[in-house]
Amino acid sequence: MNTGAPWPTAEQAEARVLEIQTKLHRWATDAPDRRFADLFNLVCDPAVLLVAWRRVKGNKGARTAGVDGQTVYYIQQRRGEAVFLAELRADLKARRFRPLPVWERLIPKPGSGKLRMLGIPTVRDRVVQAALKLVLEPIFEADFLPCSYGFRPGRRAQDAIAEIHLFASPPHGYQWVVEGDIQACFDEIDHAALLGRVRQRIADKRVLALVKAFLKAGILNQDGGVRDTITGTPQGGILSPLLANIALGVLDEHLAGRQTTTRAQRRRGQPSVRLIRYADDWVVLVRGTRAHAETLRDEAATALAPMGLRLSAAKTRICHLDEGFDFLGFRIQRQPKRGAPGQHAVYTWPSKKALAAVKAKVRALTRAGSNQPLAGLLGHLNRVLRGWTNYFRYGVSKRTFDYLGQFTWNRVLRWLRRKHPRASWGWLRRRYLPRWWPTHGTTELLRPAAVTVTRYRYRGAQIPTPWTVTG
């Protein structure tokens, strides 16, 4: 590949990067044992750096600065994109680039009162991480197994839920579930073991040195002190999800050979196993006994140990499908089939924790000051409701959607009473509640109960990548 090209336009850069990625993915697929050399020139390629910059610029965190205090806006206004990228490329090619420590931010952990650490790299480091990901991801995607769904192109949480629903339903009959929880997964990955897995595919020492430099960059805590990163890959880095998937591939590979069993093996009492993993959240479906599930839990712990990872004894549990379990926000449980006495079916619907989380967001928005017009409040609420209902529409969610709509309606009415404390109920209804639904001008509160629910189709191992060549 020619990497000495001048700086391209945005459209030319996207096309060139797609071409590079497609070739890398095809070569990695055709030769599973191939180790790739001379990838560093691709990381420094003008098209790759330009696409990486555009990805960073379009990210939600573009307005957040790292330890150097520079945001994307600052670079655009004070330095200029062209100068910034040219200097970054020159530093990379001259081997002068050194990543800075990430800035530690503690943010609330969803579904609990605990805090988790988010590491914010500088914009300069984010661009290099994005460039590394553009080059490395097509190679490792050729090795990742179909049971892994998190932070992979073209794959969604609904794919994982659909697989669980399929194999927990007749005729497959998987009944036991191992709910796995890896303790501080992103914080405890062993660097040596992770780099060893990266070296199985990457032979370019300059790329390996870059990956290692990001792992060892350190963390600037909120007290102003810098601590070394001996283990882990901080959440918040663009490269971190890919590295976590590479590390957690040890679990996928360990259980991959157990996914199908012959009739003779089942007669001898061997279980069938299905692993479904979304990043560090995973479950194992077992067609066998509780003892088989307990054995598989211990096997998973043994498989993860070389990567420096441990299962949380408090959160890893074994349950029967009739008891039900929560996964990726859904409640999954086998229950008597409605309208079919004597039969059972597997149902998925929003978990109590997921419903409580969206209600907390609605409360927070409707507790805010009442100086804004109703249209502004409805716009914020609609964004929350639309995202939540679109995620959970693939399940038995109609009753939950109806309840959420009633809850939001009540919260908006209480907000209106605070905004207009002296207004009569009749005046409020005439001005803001045509057809008894909150409306202001052309903005109407989204009706969760009107969202169509359906069953998500299981796509199996046929999910295409962005680099799959068809025809």
Side-chain angles (χ1 to χ4, degrees), residues 348-425:
T348 61
W349 65 91
S351 68
K352 290 182 179 179
K353 186 181 290 186
L355 179 59
V358 72
K359 285 173 62 179
K361 290 182 180 179
V362 171
R363 282 195 191 95
L365 289 171
T366 52
R367 279 177 183 157
S370 54
N371 291 330
Q372 63 176 324
L374 176 61
L377 174 66
L378 296 182
H380 293 306
L381 288 171
N382 285 349
R383 279 190 289 273
V384 171
L385 296 176
R386 186 174 294 110
W388 197 85
T389 53
N390 282 341
Y391 181 84
F392 287 105
R393 63 189 291 259
Y394 301 104
V396 188
S397 307
K398 204 68 174 178
R399 186 178 299 176
T400 306
F401 286 179
D402 185 53
Y403 168 80
L404 179 61
Q406 294 176 24
F407 174 82
T408 307
W409 188 91
N410 284 321
R411 295 296 307 183
V412 172
L413 263 291
R414 292 173 66 177
W415 183 88
L416 284 172
R417 296 306 294 261
R418 290 201 313 274
K419 182 175 177 67
H420 302 284
R422 298 182 180 180
S424 68
W425 167 245

Side-chain angles (χ1 to χ4, degrees), residues 97-406:
F97 175 82
R98 297 291 184 274
L100 294 176
V102 298
W103 180 34
E104 180 183 60
R105 291 284 300 275
L106 297 177
I107 62 173
K109 193 172 183 179
S112 70
K114 299 180 180 178
L115 298 175
R116 67 180 177 92
M117 195 275 282
L118 187 70
I120 302 174
T122 64
V123 173
R124 180 180 167 94
D125 292 349
R126 283 178 237 171
V127 173
V128 178
Q129 286 194 32
L132 275 170
K133 184 183 178 186
L134 288 171
V135 173
L136 296 180
E137 188 174 49
I139 297 172
F140 285 99
E141 271 293 323
D143 298 334
F144 291 155
L145 298 177
C147 61
S148 166
Y149 293 101
F151 303 113
R152 294 183 58 189
R155 290 170 171 258
R156 311 172 61 190
Q158 284 79 5
D159 288 309
I161 300 299
E163 181 170 352
I164 294 173
H165 184 272
L166 175 70
F167 285 95
S169 302
H172 301 285
Y174 289 75
Q175 298 186 1
W176 288 98
V177 181
V178 180
E179 294 182 71
D181 184 274
I182 301 173
Q183 188 166 313
C185 175
F186 281 82
D187 298 331
E188 296 191 1
I189 295 175
D190 183 85
H191 289 172
L194 172 59
L195 288 169
R197 287 185 64 81
V198 175
R199 287 191 189 94
Q200 292 176 8
R201 275 301 204 169
I202 309 302
D204 192 321
K205 293 183 178 180
R206 295 167 296 178
V207 170
L208 292 170
L210 264 183
V211 174
K212 184 176 181 179
F214 281 116
L215 292 175
K216 301 291 186 183
I219 298 173
L220 178 68
N221 59 38
Q222 296 182 338
D223 297 328
V226 177
R227 68 176 186 269
D228 295 334
T229 44
I230 302 172
T231 61
T233 170
Q235 294 189 62
I238 294 175
L239 196 59
S240 294
L242 175 61
L243 295 178
N245 270 331
I246 294 172
L248 292 171
V250 295
L251 181 63
D252 305 346
E253 294 159 8
H254 179 78
L255 294 176
R258 311 282 297 277
Q259 298 212 147
T260 57
T261 54
T262 64
R263 289 184 180 179
Q265 289 173 322
R266 287 197 293 273
R267 281 197 297 268
R268 292 196 295 269
Q270 294 187 22
S272 296
V273 177
R274 298 292 305 191
L275 169 68
I276 299 96
R277 182 174 65 80
Y278 191 94
D280 58 334
D281 294 322
W282 56 273
V283 297
V284 176
L285 302 181
V286 183
R287 182 165 57 188
T289 65
R290 183 182 180 90
H292 290 140
E294 292 171 350
T295 301
L296 286 163
R297 176 195 58 197
D298 297 338
E299 287 185 21
T302 302
L304 291 168
M307 297 303 305
L309 300 175
R310 300 168 293 157
L311 295 182
S312 169
K315 296 182 180 180
T316 300
R317 74 184 192 104
I318 295 172
C319 68
H320 194 275
L321 200 58
D322 291 345
E323 302 172 43
F325 64 99
D326 293 348
F327 187 60
L328 301 180
F330 283 88
R331 181 68 179 175
I332 305 170
Q333 190 170 358
R334 188 174 68 174
Q335 296 181 344
K337 190 172 184 179
R338 295 159 196 177
Q343 299 183 35
H344 289 77
V346 175
Y347 294 97
T348 61
W349 65 91
S351 68
K352 290 182 179 179
K353 186 181 290 186
L355 179 59
V358 72
K359 285 173 62 179
K361 290 182 180 179
V362 171
R363 282 195 191 95
L365 289 171
T366 52
R367 279 177 183 157
S370 54
N371 291 330
Q372 63 176 324
L374 176 61
L377 174 66
L378 296 182
H380 293 306
L381 288 171
N382 285 349
R383 279 190 289 273
V384 171
L385 296 176
R386 186 174 294 110
W388 197 85
T389 53
N390 282 341
Y391 181 84
F392 287 105
R393 63 189 291 259
Y394 301 104
V396 188
S397 307
K398 204 68 174 178
R399 186 178 299 176
T400 306
F401 286 179
D402 185 53
Y403 168 80
L404 179 61
Q406 294 176 24

